[in-house]
């Protein structure tokens, strides 16, 4: 039931009219009894009919806003001619509190919140800056990234030259499911060199389209395959079929935040191969230049008609394929409960592969020399690895409180292939350094939940209005993970010394109490996967109080593997008994949560094992009873009985064949074997 209240200006107008008519009334109050307030102005969400004529729907209030009641004295007639009875009609107004931000309905789902923290690469699929990863990126999210980059340098493509580069790209990706992510990119380049003729060169509209497919191997490790088709444009700004290229890439990523002791770091590894046919764009141009030479040498010895290193750089022309290797790491630092910083570092190396069989013309400085003549370019066959492009990227991305928005700043350093002294005819020159600035946004494509139909009923009660309400304030706070300062969603906050119900934190780890009397407040905070903790706050005499509670993450004692459930502690029983000791209840609860969280595990065998002390028949019976005791504990707490099979093996399957007390302690154990598993739906 929701409460409908008239707006403040209506209340003031009614009060003014009544005052001008000489009607005496009680002073306007600031507080009311909760029990009386629940009896009037109620919304009814059911579509049943209500008494009284239909009223127009009140204006919708902002989600998360709170209100305080406003009372206005109204003269009532009692039907016998004595109209001097004053009833207090409570026409309360909704007053949104400015310090309470509305909670977006999408942020209540932790999977949706995580999807909006996955960020796009420069090629489109989610990952780092250049390197993609295998972690989930959706579903129902459309991402767009707009980046501009530039550098200014000298002695770049020749001695004493001056070179300026600027460019930009637009990358988009669409995650409609959890495994597939189609993506596209549009890029333009602009280069200006003082030694060039003409000095300014443009490469406009180069595009690529592709798709990434991911597969999680575990919460820690995920892999992905990414393929894309490159569509370069030629001099006539059209796509040339012979110049269309492609790139395939395998990726693996390790999310260290999924470890038993979480670390907010993601590691990435990429291995790819690019089929580059961009040289087909300039084959006709070079043939025209050769025919125009007045004294041409044989083609295999002529270089004057070939693209210069300035032109190769300006039009981004490579005559070979490339084997691409990439390593990277990205961390997560929470500067505030709603502001996240993502510093990253990436290393990439492109090793040329002459699939095209390009016959490079090499003009040595002297007969037999491996150094090119001054003004001439070298060839890959005669060059060192210094000509192979290698980059190091240092950057950071910032996620502000606006959900889906990301800002990017990075510097790329050309470690190899960035000097004209190592220029080769097959490759465009690498950048010596590059500054990148960008902004991205993730659009939510999921439909909002439907609003239920509402009807309202207004009732009037006679109440006593206090002349001055007692002072009251609220306690606002955040629940964070200790050390990482990551917000904890759905943590339960209980008020130990106040008459106040328990609350659950939102996606930002935030909670706000109802209005309470000033003074200290003791809290008990609990969350799944964390140790409970006590914290305190205080409500001042005026205004609201603020606090922050930090919880310690529990160690992960249970890991679901492919064929079994690994226990990193043993289940302890009373001596010579099947009674589970209380010290193992925490481990049992983690086992229950692991089985409940993996519905694809259809059949699990609970195996009981003993040591070799006692007779074989007695140990077989004891192991069976202990396996049944574990099964009974799990069934009583919600696990479906037909998923669990209990079986005792006695002393017949020891882990260690020895008679020491340490060996016997290891052999006394309970194991969980997965007998039947269904593939999880994507």
């Amino acid at each position: 039931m929701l409460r409908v209240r008239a707006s403040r200006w209506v209340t003031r107008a009614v009060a003014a009219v009544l005052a001008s008519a000489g009607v005496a009334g009680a002073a306007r109050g600031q507080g009311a009894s909760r029990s009386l307030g629940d009896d009037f102005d109620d919304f009814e969400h059911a579509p049943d009919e209500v008494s009284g004529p239909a009223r127009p729907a009140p204006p919708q209030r902002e989600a998360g806003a709170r209100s305080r009641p406003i009372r206005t004295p109204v003269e009532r007639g009692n039907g016998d001619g004595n109209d001097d009875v004053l009833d207090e009609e409570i026409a309360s107004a909704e007053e949104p509190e400015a310090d309470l931000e509305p909670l977006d309905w999408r942020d209540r789902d932790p999977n949706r919140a995580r999807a909006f923290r996955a960020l796009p690469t420069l090629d489109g699929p989610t990952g780092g800056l250049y390197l993609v990863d295998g972690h989930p990126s959706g579903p129902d999210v459309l991402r767009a990234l707009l980046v501009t980059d530039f550098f200014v340098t000298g002695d770049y493509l020749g001695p004493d030259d001056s070179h300026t580069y600027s460019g930009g790209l637009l990358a988009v990706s669409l995650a409609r499911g959890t495994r597939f992510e189609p993506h596209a990119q549009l890029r333009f380049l602009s280069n200006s060199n003082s030694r060039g003729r003409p000095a300014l060169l443009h490469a406009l509209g180069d595009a690529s389209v592709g798709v990434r497919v991911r597969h999680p191997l575990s919460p820690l490790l995920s892999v992905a395959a990414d393929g894309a088709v490159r569509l370069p444009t030629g001099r006539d700004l059209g796509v040339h079929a012979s110049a269309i290229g492609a790139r395939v890439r395998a990726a693996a990523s390790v999310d260290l935040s999924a470890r038993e002791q979480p670390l907010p770091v993601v590691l990435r590894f990429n291995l790819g191969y690019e089929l580059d046919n961009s040289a087909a764009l300039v084959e006709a141009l070079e043939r025209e230049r050769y025919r125009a030479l007045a004294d041409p040498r044989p083609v295999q010895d002529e270089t004057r008609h070939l693209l210069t290193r300035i032109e190769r750089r300006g039009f981004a022309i490579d005559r070979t394929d490339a084997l691409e290797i990439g390593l990277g790491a990205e961390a997560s630092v929470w500067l505030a409960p709603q502001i996240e910083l993502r510093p990253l570092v990436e290393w990439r190396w492109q090793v040329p592969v002459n699939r095209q069989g390009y016959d490079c013309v090499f003009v040595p400085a002297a007969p037999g020399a491996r150094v090119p003549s001054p003004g001439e370019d070298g060839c890959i066959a005669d060059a060192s690895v210094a000509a192979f492009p290698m980059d190091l990227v240092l950057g950071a991305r910032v996620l502000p409180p606006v959900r889906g928005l990301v800002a990017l700043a990075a510097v790329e350093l050309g470690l190899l292939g960035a000097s004209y002294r190592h220029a080769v005819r097959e490759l465009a020159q690498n950048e010596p350094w590059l500054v990148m600035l960008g902004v991205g946004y993730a659009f939510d494509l999921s439909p909002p939940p439907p609003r239920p139909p509402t009807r309202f009923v207004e009732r009037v009660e006679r109440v006593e209005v206090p002349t001055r309400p007692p002072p009251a304030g609220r306690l606002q706070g955040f629940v964070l993970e200790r050390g990482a300062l990551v917000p904890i969603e759905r943590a339960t906050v209980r008020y130990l010394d106040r008459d106040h119900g328990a609350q659950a934190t939102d996606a930002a780890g935030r909670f706000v109490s109802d209005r309470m009397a000033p003074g200290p407040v003791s809290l008990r905070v609990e969350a799944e996967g964390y140790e409970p903790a006590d914290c305190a706050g205080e409500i001042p005499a005026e205004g609201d109080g603020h606090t922050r509670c930090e919880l310690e993450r529990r160690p992960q004692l249970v890991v679901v593997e492919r064929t079994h459930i690994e226990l990193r502690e043993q289940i302890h029983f009373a001596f010579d008994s099947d009674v589970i000791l209380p010290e193992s209840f925490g481990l049992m609860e983690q086992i229950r949560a692991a089985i409940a969280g993996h519905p694809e595990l259809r059949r699990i065998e609970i195996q009981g094992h003993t040591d070799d002390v006692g007779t074989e028949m007695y140990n077989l019976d004891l192991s069976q009873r202990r396996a049944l005791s574990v099964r009974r504990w799990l069934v009583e707490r919600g696990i479906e009985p037909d998923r669990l099979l209990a079986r005792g093996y006695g002393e017949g399957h020891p882990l260690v064949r020895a008679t020491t007390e340490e060996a016997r302690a290891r052999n006394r154990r309970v194991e969980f074997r997965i007998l039947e598993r269904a593939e999880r739906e994507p």
Side-chain angles (χ1 to χ4, degrees):
M1 308 289 281
L2 301 174
R3 302 172 64 185
V4 178
R5 300 179 174 96
S7 59
R8 174 181 289 189
W9 66 271
V10 173
T11 303
R12 290 176 174 173
V14 172
V17 172
L18 295 177
S20 63
V23 179
R28 176 178 163 190
Q30 298 296 321
S33 167
R34 178 70 176 173
S35 61
L36 291 175
D38 288 341
D39 292 335
F40 63 91
D41 288 351
D42 292 328
F43 269 101
E44 295 182 356
H45 287 278
D48 301 334
E49 293 295 324
V50 296
S51 59
R55 293 187 166 210
Q60 298 291 331
R61 70 173 178 177
E62 190 177 63
R66 296 177 180 264
S67 61
R68 59 171 180 244
I70 299 176
R71 295 174 175 78
T72 305
V74 180
E75 184 176 11
R76 297 289 186 188
N78 56 12
D80 57 4
N82 298 321
D83 296 340
D84 56 352
V85 180
L86 286 178
D87 286 348
E88 291 292 333
E89 178 181 86
I90 303 179
S92 47
E94 293 291 347
E95 291 188 287
E97 302 287 352
D99 55 344
L100 283 180
E101 298 179 359
L103 177 63
D104 194 295
W105 67 269
R106 298 173 180 88
D107 292 333
R108 299 170 188 167
D109 183 355
N111 294 324
R112 302 298 301 158
R114 284 192 295 270
F116 281 91
R117 295 177 62 225
L119 304 177
T121 62
L122 297 183
D123 290 325
T126 53
L129 196 63
Y130 288 103
L131 306 183
V132 301
D133 58 31
H135 285 85
S137 59
D140 299 327
V141 178
L142 173 65
R143 296 179 177 86
L145 179 66
L146 185 62
V147 176
T148 181
D149 51 1
F150 62 90
F151 72 83
V152 178
T153 188
D155 290 336
Y156 175 47
L157 299 177
D160 301 323
D161 75 341
S162 175
H163 193 94
T164 301
Y165 161 81
S166 62
L169 66 87
L170 173 64
V172 295
S173 69
L174 176 63
R176 294 294 291 181
T178 58
R179 292 185 183 272
F180 296 93
E181 185 181 17
H183 55 83
Q185 182 211 64
L186 180 64
R187 184 175 184 84
F188 70 90
L189 312 173
S190 176
N191 288 270
S192 176
N193 191 281
S194 59
R195 298 169 62 94
R197 296 295 182 271
L200 181 63
L201 296 175
H202 292 280
L204 299 175
D206 288 358
S208 68
V209 292
V211 64
R212 182 196 72 156
V213 182
R214 78 167 195 92
H215 180 70
L217 300 180
S218 70
L220 192 69
L221 175 63
S222 295
V223 296
D226 179 44
V229 176
R230 302 279 188 182
L231 306 172
T233 57
R235 291 181 294 169
D236 53 358
L237 300 182
V239 176
H240 289 233
S242 60
I244 294 177
R247 183 175 70 183
V248 292
R249 177 168 44 179
S253 57
V254 179
D255 187 356
L256 299 183
S257 64
R259 297 192 314 163
E260 180 180 349
Q261 295 181 345
L263 182 66
V265 174
V266 175
L267 306 179
R268 300 184 177 95
F269 170 72
N270 283 190
L271 180 63
Y273 188 88
E274 180 162 0
L275 287 87
D276 196 324
N277 297 314
S278 59
L281 295 173
V282 297
E283 289 179 351
L285 173 64
E286 291 180 338
R287 286 195 298 267
E288 292 175 5
R289 288 181 174 181
Y290 182 78
R291 288 193 295 266
L293 293 175
D295 53 343
R297 293 187 291 268
V299 173
Q300 64 271 18
D301 299 325
E302 184 62 73
T303 63
R304 291 173 293 174
H305 66 293
L306 299 178
L307 290 185
T308 65
R309 65 185 70 143
I310 296 175
E311 292 171 327
R312 289 197 305 273
R313 169 65 197 176
F315 295 119
I317 300 297
D318 288 329
R319 303 181 188 274
T320 63
D321 294 349
L323 177 67
E324 300 176 344
I325 306 171
L327 297 173
E330 184 172 9
S332 174
V333 180
W334 290 86
L335 304 180
Q338 294 184 348
I339 300 178
E340 184 181 8
L341 176 67
R342 296 276 194 89
L344 60 83
V345 58
E346 292 182 351
W347 171 86
R348 298 187 309 142
W349 195 21
Q350 294 177 306
V351 180
V353 178
N354 193 7
R355 172 188 59 87
Q356 298 85 341
Y358 177 71
D359 187 10
C360 179
V361 180
F362 181 72
V363 181
R370 301 183 62 85
V371 179
S373 176
E376 295 285 350
D377 292 334
C379 295
I380 290 178
D382 300 291
S384 65
V385 295
F388 302 171
M390 180 187 294
D391 302 309
L392 180 67
V393 179
L394 304 173
R397 298 185 285 195
V398 177
L399 282 70
V402 179
R403 187 175 58 87
L405 184 64
V406 59
L408 161 70
V411 175
E412 179 178 331
L413 304 177
L415 305 181
L416 295 178
S419 172
Y420 72 89
R421 297 176 179 85
H422 302 288
V424 293
R425 298 192 193 279
E426 293 93 333
L427 301 177
Q429 199 90 338
N430 193 18
E431 299 89 354
W433 58 268
L434 196 65
V435 174
M436 289 176 278
L437 302 173
V439 62
Y441 192 79
F443 299 89
D444 197 334
L445 305 182
S446 58
R451 290 180 175 270
T454 56
R455 294 179 181 271
F456 69 94
V457 176
E458 180 181 346
R459 283 189 272 179
V460 177
E461 295 288 341
R462 184 189 299 269
V463 296
E464 298 219 8
V465 181
T467 57
R468 178 176 295 178
R474 292 167 302 182
L475 183 64
Q476 305 185 36
F478 291 91
V479 179
L480 309 173
E481 181 178 332
R482 179 165 295 163
L485 295 182
V486 176
I488 301 177
E489 185 182 15
R490 299 181 180 175
T492 302
V493 181
R494 292 184 172 87
Y495 296 78
L496 303 181
D497 55 354
R498 298 297 184 104
D499 184 13
H500 194 294
Q503 292 181 296
T505 58
D506 61 19
R510 187 176 186 229
F511 66 92
V512 181
S513 74
D514 293 335
R515 293 192 177 276
M516 299 184 293
V521 180
S522 298
L523 304 173
R524 178 73 170 176
V525 184
E526 299 174 346
E528 184 176 350
Y530 295 84
E531 296 292 342
D534 295 329
C535 62
E538 185 167 359
I539 300 177
E542 295 183 2
D544 296 340
H546 301 270
T547 188
R548 186 173 79 176
C549 302
E550 297 184 5
L551 301 185
E552 192 80 35
R553 182 182 286 273
R554 284 196 185 114
Q556 186 67 29
L557 304 178
V558 179
V559 178
V560 177
E561 303 290 356
R562 184 67 186 174
T563 59
H564 65 283
I565 299 176
E566 181 183 353
L567 305 185
R568 297 179 178 175
E569 283 186 6
Q570 290 190 6
I571 301 174
H572 296 287
F573 299 85
F575 177 74
D576 203 24
S577 169
D578 60 357
V579 177
I580 303 174
L581 295 178
E583 66 191 48
S584 292
F585 287 172
L587 173 60
M588 291 295 295
E589 175 57 29
Q590 289 197 29
I591 296 172
R592 183 208 64 78
I595 296 176
H598 289 76
E600 76 275 12
L601 305 181
R602 294 182 176 175
R603 191 76 167 164
I604 303 171
E605 183 184 61
I606 304 173
Q607 299 180 354
H609 300 271
T610 66
D611 58 21
D612 59 352
V613 177
T615 66
E616 182 176 348
M617 291 303 297
Y618 180 84
N619 287 336
L620 186 63
D621 176 72
L622 178 61
S623 65
Q624 179 67 26
R625 287 189 286 116
R626 286 182 171 178
L628 287 171
S629 178
V630 172
R631 181 182 184 274
R632 183 168 51 253
W633 195 98
L634 295 173
V635 170
E636 289 174 353
R637 287 157 179 81
I639 302 300
E640 299 86 345
D642 57 350
R643 297 176 63 192
L644 303 176
L645 172 66
R647 183 177 179 183
Y649 288 85
E651 61 185 68
H653 295 78
L655 290 177
V656 182
R657 295 189 179 276
T659 58
T660 64
E661 184 56 36
E662 179 180 359
R664 287 170 173 168
R666 291 186 60 191
N667 291 333
R668 295 190 299 268
R669 68 196 188 279
V670 174
E671 296 182 344
F672 293 78
R673 296 291 172 181
I674 300 172
L675 302 180
E676 183 179 353
R677 174 194 290 267
E679 292 298 331
R680 300 189 72 170
E681 295 183 358

